[in-house]
Amino acid sequence: MTKSKNAQWWILALCLILATAFAAGCGGGDDDDDDDDSSPVDDDDDDDDTSDDDDDDDDDDDDDDDDDDDFPGDKFELDASADSWVDSGIAVTKGQYVTISATGTVNLGSESAGPDGTDALCGEGCLTAFRPKGVIMGKIESAASSAEDQPCVFDVGQAWNGIAHCSGDVYFQVNDSNYGDNSGSFDTYTFVEEGPDVVWDYFLFEANPAPKNPETNAETPDKYNQYPVFRYRWNTGEDAPKPVKAILIIVAGYTAGANQILYMAENMVRSSNGEIEVWVPERRFHLLEDLTGSNKAERNGEPHLSYQYYNEGKNVDGRVYAGLLDLRSDETDMMTEWGLDLQLRDYNKLIKFIQDQSSESDPDGYNTPIFLGGHSRGVVFATAYAANEFEDGHFGYEDLAGLIFLDGGPRWEPEYTEDDYKDDLKKLRQGKLDRATAFGLITPAMYQHLETFTMATADGLGDPSNPWYGGDGVYPYFGAFEPLLGFILPGGAKDDVTLTNEAFVGVVTDNEYGLIDNFKGAMGEMLPIGMSSDSELVGDEFCDGKFPFKNRIYPCKPGTTYRWLNYKESNPGELMDIQEFMYSVFGGPSNNNDPYYTTRLDYDFYVAYNLQSDEVNGSTNPDEWRDDYFTFRFDQVDTPVYKMVTELVANEEISPGVSVAEYYESVLPPVRGSGTARTLNGSDRGFDYLVHDDWSHIDGLQIALEYNDFFPDLLDWVDYWVDEGDYEPIQVPEFGTRWDGSLNELDEIDAAK
């Protein structure tokens, strides 16, 4: 891809789209791993080194037990000289979790290669261009597949694991163009779980009716007086859902959809062996988004179909895209009343629904093991819920076993006046301000195209023979991002260099190349084709950034194609799988973005201020007007609190000299009458606090499991408070549409919307 320079006013637009689209707003390793978690490196010697162990290779025939211990699953020998896909005889079903490992060394004519292939990319004539020469490729395909069904094709390399998005037999082949001079073989080990261990129940939950717009008298249609909920739980097949010791409700951040929590949710359920469930409620305005094209493109394995639907008027299933909503017209009048009070009452209704499922629930809700949390701006939602006094006189914290704060903090606007609030609401209701949050030139079209582009980038989704698709493909359509490319690749680089799909995502969001410090992830390394991973990052191939991105480097060598090394491929290893990030953007019936996040919520949060009602305290504070709109008692929230922070929030200050952590520590009362003041990581565990200032805001939710001490730490904290609170197990019946990762329920889900 080649891109160009634009006027300086695009700087702000780029900053803001990256902030919202990729990070969705903001405010080490296993316990027995000897490696330094803060600087993950390739630790194959301790874990699964398979490349050059000649003794093990020689003993394969006589020591299968050892191989089975190291590599569980069915063993298959792949001949490197096979010039077509080889059926392993192993079958999988959509939604099953599959783990594949490979060992050995083969000869590719004049050079040797392990399962990950050589440093050089295969060119035209290879099984798959733009993939390493000699890498083991995998394919899942059924003989019964129709011509429209795309097989799932992916890099296996030394190890691959994930959910199968196709049903059929597993095939392998070495990536090459000349198989006649190849010799040797790889041993592959494929382990297929009987069924997906984690499934989602998707349902539309009946919400509270929204008030009318008092300026236009517009009502919210019934179809928007509901909101999507994603329930991640253990797969029990046709049996009733498993009774669980706790339910975690996690709220996504600013302008974020449910998929922001997807990786965390699935792995929290998996890590607990199904003893907890994770529920992710979306906000009702997510229903305004038309996902017809993107869901159809994902289901068909044809990313470009999404672009055609949203940009070229293509008819998909009898529907033609009607365009983006006019954020100041009568079609969005009702959004002006979708504010904080309504959102908190919606969450309360969901929590009461869960409590009603438990026969052991006592009247005040304390005996129902529900933990409410959020990521980024979602932390503010969770805190507001806990501090809020509802119409029946109870406070939200009374419903909860604990609060979970994930890399977020308060949002205060002390200078915001009541006149400001009234004036903003009047203009909003009259259509003089956009009803959805819009930053500068940012539009929902940019969110739409992000979903299309990440589908094109995802390995195994599109036709592998199409050079547009996959991490090493080059998708030529940039849609609404086109005007920003001069800042992504400044100094004319857009006209002189080519980036593979993964490299383009990396140059925007990776911690070494990205533009915005707050919204980066340690996802790997970008290199020119032919350059080794231990080369200097800044040289003839890279340029130093200039104002306002002085510390950024970017690709700039004319005539060069840059590719991406994923987190395990880079040297040293990094933290987060860029492909997992791709899937979180588009996967399943939702996505990672929320382009119609209402402006009303921002104004309400300005009023909510510090989530503390002065009126209840008997104060004569001049800000007492805020109490006419909300009643918050943050200083009364006596639930346990778990807080995880990354570099973004670790040093954030609420006021000069007062950090976010110190504020929470000073305001929160003792846990449920314990009489002991809370301290960070105190012995009573009332305020557990995990700091990873070596992680980014994105890493905090999606850091790879081998470097992730956050998930087990949170599970341990939940276990502690479930035992301490003497909670009874809770069982919620199955309802809604079960989603097993197989794509075949998308029609039903779309119809429900």
Side-chain angles (χ1 to χ4, degrees):
M1 100 188 189
T2 59
K3 306 301 140 188
S4 86
K5 189 167 186 178
N6 266 286
Q8 294 293 323
W9 49 271
W10 278 103
I11 293 177
L12 176 60
L14 177 58
C15 295
L16 293 170
I17 179 118
L18 295 176
T20 55
F22 283 91
C26 88
D30 295 335
D31 291 341
D32 54 1
D33 187 349
D34 293 332
D35 291 335
D36 182 357
D37 294 332
S38 64
S39 300
V41 295
D42 187 354
D43 57 358
D44 288 340
D45 290 340
D46 295 330
D47 297 323
D48 59 355
D49 189 352
T50 62
S51 56
D52 296 311
D53 194 340
D54 292 334
D55 291 339
D56 288 346
D57 290 343
D58 292 342
D59 295 338
D60 279 347
D61 293 336
D62 301 319
D63 197 11
D64 288 340
D65 289 340
D66 290 341
D67 287 336
D68 290 342
D69 290 341
D70 293 337
F71 306 105
D74 294 325
K75 181 178 177 181
F76 175 76
E77 185 175 329
L78 173 64
D79 187 342
S81 65
D83 60 1
S84 61
W85 290 103
V86 183
D87 190 345
S88 69
I90 301 164
V92 301
T93 302
K94 286 180 179 181
Q96 288 183 310
Y97 197 78
V98 182
T99 301
I100 304 174
S101 301
T103 68
T105 303
V106 300
N107 292 316
L108 305 174
S110 59
E111 56 187 331
S112 61
D116 290 327
T118 68
D119 289 338
L121 295 186
C122 247
E124 294 183 10
C126 286
L127 173 66
T128 307
F130 296 108
R131 263 60 167 194
K133 181 179 181 181
V135 68
I136 300 175
M137 301 293 297
K139 178 176 74 167
I140 301 173
E141 186 174 25
S142 170
S145 298
S146 68
E148 294 182 356
D149 293 330
Q150 296 290 346
C152 294
V153 179
F154 47 92
D155 290 5
V156 174
Q158 183 173 269
W160 181 90
N161 59 81
I163 292 175
H165 295 289
C166 297
S167 292
D169 294 332
V170 178
Y171 296 79
F172 296 112
Q173 188 177 356
V174 169
N175 191 34
D176 204 353
S177 58
N178 180 14
Y179 295 90
D181 58 357
N182 292 356
S183 62
S185 63
F186 292 117
D187 287 335
T188 65
Y189 302 84
T190 304
F191 176 73
V192 183
E193 297 185 1
E194 291 185 1
D197 52 356
V198 179
V199 294
W200 318 353
D201 288 336
Y202 172 92
F203 59 98
L204 290 172
F205 187 72
E206 182 181 351
N208 295 283
K212 293 181 181 181
N213 180 332
E215 292 287 333
T216 66
N217 212 35
E219 294 183 338
T220 294
D222 288 343
K223 65 180 180 179
Y224 299 129
N225 280 321
Q226 56 185 350
Y227 58 91
V229 178
F230 292 81
R231 174 190 182 185
Y232 300 85
R233 64 178 179 86
W234 197 250
N235 184 16
T236 54
E238 298 304 318
D239 296 333
K242 181 178 181 177
V244 294
K245 61 186 178 186
I247 290 176
L248 277 54
I249 301 176
I250 307 295
V251 180
Y254 193 52
T255 70
N259 281 18
Q260 187 189 61
I261 313 297
L262 188 155
Y263 183 81
M264 172 190 171
E266 289 191 330
N267 284 290
M268 290 293 286
V269 176
R270 186 172 291 125
S271 298
S272 72
N273 292 315
E275 293 188 347
I276 69 167
E277 292 184 4
V278 178
W279 292 41
V280 183
E282 289 193 316
R283 293 168 279 266
R284 66 179 71 202
F285 30 91
H286 206 83
L287 293 173
L288 295 169
E289 189 176 9
D290 180 0
L291 297 179
T292 303
S294 56
N295 282 353
K296 185 72 171 182
E298 183 185 357
R299 182 165 59 250
N300 285 11
E302 178 45 71
H304 191 56
L305 180 62
S306 176
Y307 182 86
Q308 292 174 309
Y309 179 75
Y310 295 112
N311 296 276
E312 297 179 347
K314 185 176 180 62
N315 186 307
V316 171
D317 293 336
R319 186 171 185 175
V320 176
Y321 182 52
L324 298 166
L325 295 178
D326 185 335
L327 297 175
R328 299 192 181 194
S329 74
D330 56 4
E331 68 178 337
T332 56
D333 276 354
M334 71 284 187
M335 293 174 64
T336 65
E337 309 313 301
W338 298 355
L340 179 58
D341 178 70
L342 184 65
Q343 193 65 57
L344 297 180
R345 289 191 290 114
D346 283 349
Y347 292 153
N348 182 244
K349 192 169 184 178
L350 179 65
I351 288 172
K352 293 300 184 186
F353 169 79
I354 296 174
Q355 288 176 335
D356 289 343
Q357 312 307 310
S358 173
S359 59
E360 302 297 332
S361 177
D362 64 21
D364 62 13
Y366 280 157
N367 208 34
T368 305
I370 298 174
F371 294 80
L372 177 64
H375 176 254
S376 192
R377 177 63 67 87
V379 170
V380 190
F381 280 108
T383 312
Y385 182 90
N388 186 57
E389 183 179 18
F390 290 92
E391 293 175 350
D392 61 1
H394 91 285
F395 284 87
Y397 67 84
E398 299 176 61
D399 302 327
L400 306 174
L403 286 164
I404 300 169
F405 298 161
L406 306 178
D407 214 31
R411 293 292 182 273
W412 293 359
E413 292 289 339
E415 305 303 321
Y416 198 66
T417 69
E418 185 171 19
D419 286 341
D420 292 334
Y421 185 52
K422 290 180 176 178
D423 185 56
D424 284 340
L425 286 188
K426 187 175 184 66
K427 290 178 180 177
L428 195 69
R429 288 163 170 163
Q430 291 176 342
K432 296 178 180 179
L433 295 173
D434 285 350
R435 276 70 179 262
T437 306
F439 299 105
L441 300 174
I442 304 307
T443 69
M446 295 178 180
Y447 294 95
Q448 281 179 349
H449 193 73
L450 178 64
E451 192 161 354
T452 298
F453 194 89
T454 51
M455 278 193 283
T457 307
D459 286 341
L461 185 62
D463 180 355
S465 66
N466 189 325
W468 289 359
Y469 298 143
D472 289 317
V474 179
Y475 187 68
Y477 295 91
F478 292 88
F481 287 103
E482 192 77 35
L484 305 179
L485 294 170
F487 284 94
I488 295 172
L489 296 171
K494 80 166 194 83
D495 297 319
D496 298 325
V497 304
T498 299
L499 300 183
T500 64
N501 293 334
E502 278 188 356
F504 175 69
V505 174
V507 82
V508 174
T509 62
D510 184 76
N511 60 343
E512 291 177 300
Y513 313 96
L515 300 174
I516 312 300
D517 289 339
N518 291 351
F519 308 105
K520 298 178 181 178
M523 292 184 273
E525 181 180 7
M526 179 170 54
L527 292 173
I529 289 179
M531 189 185 219
S532 65
S533 62
D534 57 359
S535 301
E536 289 292 330
L537 288 177
V538 180
D540 292 340
E541 294 81 8
F542 292 90
C543 293
D544 292 310
K546 300 186 178 358
F547 179 83
F549 310 116
K550 293 181 178 180
N551 298 322
R552 175 185 177 252
I553 59 175
Y554 60 90
C556 61
K557 186 175 182 179
T560 302
T561 296
Y562 293 78
R563 66 181 295 250
W564 192 256
L565 300 180
N566 205 353
Y567 78 113
K568 283 187 177 181
E569 301 171 317
S570 60
N571 184 20
E574 295 202 0
L575 296 172
M576 181 178 128
D577 187 342
I578 196 171
Q579 284 291 325
E580 288 285 359
F581 174 66
M582 294 302 103
Y583 187 74
S584 75
V585 174
F586 70 84
S590 187
N591 53 29
N592 198 19
N593 305 307
D594 197 348
Y596 295 117
Y597 184 99
T598 61
T599 309
R600 171 66 184 269
L601 277 176
D602 282 342
Y603 297 154
D604 283 355
F605 274 123
Y606 298 162
V607 176
Y609 188 35
N610 61 356
L611 303 178
Q612 180 65 39
S613 172
D614 291 312
E615 185 176 84
V616 175
N617 289 337
S619 170
T620 58
N621 190 301
D623 274 348
E624 211 167 79
W625 66 269
R626 301 171 189 270
D627 305 328
D628 293 335
Y629 300 93
F630 299 101
T631 300
F632 289 117
R633 286 300 307 271
F634 190 33
D635 65 355
Q636 191 171 303
V637 175
D638 61 357
T639 62
V641 172
Y642 179 93
K643 187 169 179 63
M644 182 277 291
V645 299
T646 71
E647 62 178 351
L648 185 64
V649 178
N651 300 312
E652 183 179 354
E653 292 185 343
I654 293 300
S655 58
V658 180
S659 70
V660 173
E662 289 168 336
Y663 172 75
Y664 284 129
E665 185 178 0
S666 66
V667 173
L668 290 168
V671 176
R672 301 233 153 107
S674 67
T676 303
R678 300 196 200 199
T679 57
L680 294 181
N681 295 326
S683 59
D684 62 356
R685 305 203 68 174
F687 189 13
D688 264 19
Y689 192 76
L690 179 67
V691 179
H692 261 294
D693 56 10
D694 55 328
W695 292 1
S696 76
H697 196 52
I698 303 175
D699 291 330
L701 287 181
Q702 291 195 305
I703 191 166
L705 295 181
E706 56 263 46
Y707 307 131
N708 193 325
D709 60 349
F710 159 45
F711 294 170
D713 194 57
L714 176 56
L715 284 175
D716 181 65
W717 180 83
V718 170
D719 284 345
Y720 175 87
W721 284 108
V722 167
D723 293 340
E724 189 75 11
D726 194 26
Y727 293 109
E728 298 292 333
I730 184 172
Q731 184 179 33
V732 180
E734 182 178 357
F735 51 88
T737 300
R738 181 186 299 190
W739 167 263
D740 61 7
S742 66
L743 307 180
N744 57 0
E745 300 94 350
L746 280 175
D747 285 330
E748 182 178 343
I749 290 173
D750 285 345
K753 293 181 182 179

